[in-house]
Amino acid sequence: MKGPKERPCWGCTERTPTCHGDCPEYLGAVERETERKKAAHRESRGKQDYIETKKTAIRRTIRGVHHRKEI
């Protein structure tokens, strides 16, 4: 959650010190933020996996070229 508009507690008239445990609006906002973070992590992880796969393929190719016998 970044700004006051994304936080349901901002300006809430029913706010109490213990309301975060049972406020449906707050719990929904936390769930949405968690899902957004998970999606961003999955996307980032997918890109990292692709890059690592490409690096490994390049290393194997280079290693294979160095181990060839010249005729």
Side-chain angles (χ1 to χ4, degrees), residues 2-4 8 18-19 21 25-27 29-32 35 42 46 48 51-52 57-61 64 66 70:
K2 299 200 187 234
T18 60
C19 68
E25 290 181 36
Y26 177 78
L27 296 174
V30 168
E31 183 66 28
R32 286 189 300 274
E35 287 302 315
R42 281 191 300 268
Q48 290 173 354
I51 290 170
E52 286 302 315
I58 291 169
R59 281 190 206 109
R60 286 181 184 160
T61 302
H66 287 293
E70 292 190 29

Side-chain angles (χ1 to χ4, degrees), residues 9-34:
C9 302
W10 187 265
C12 179
T13 57
E14 300 174 19
R15 192 170 177 185
T16 65
T18 60
C19 68
H20 282 178
D22 52 336
C23 175
E25 290 181 36
Y26 177 78
L27 296 174
V30 168
E31 183 66 28
R32 286 189 300 274
E33 182 66 15
T34 302

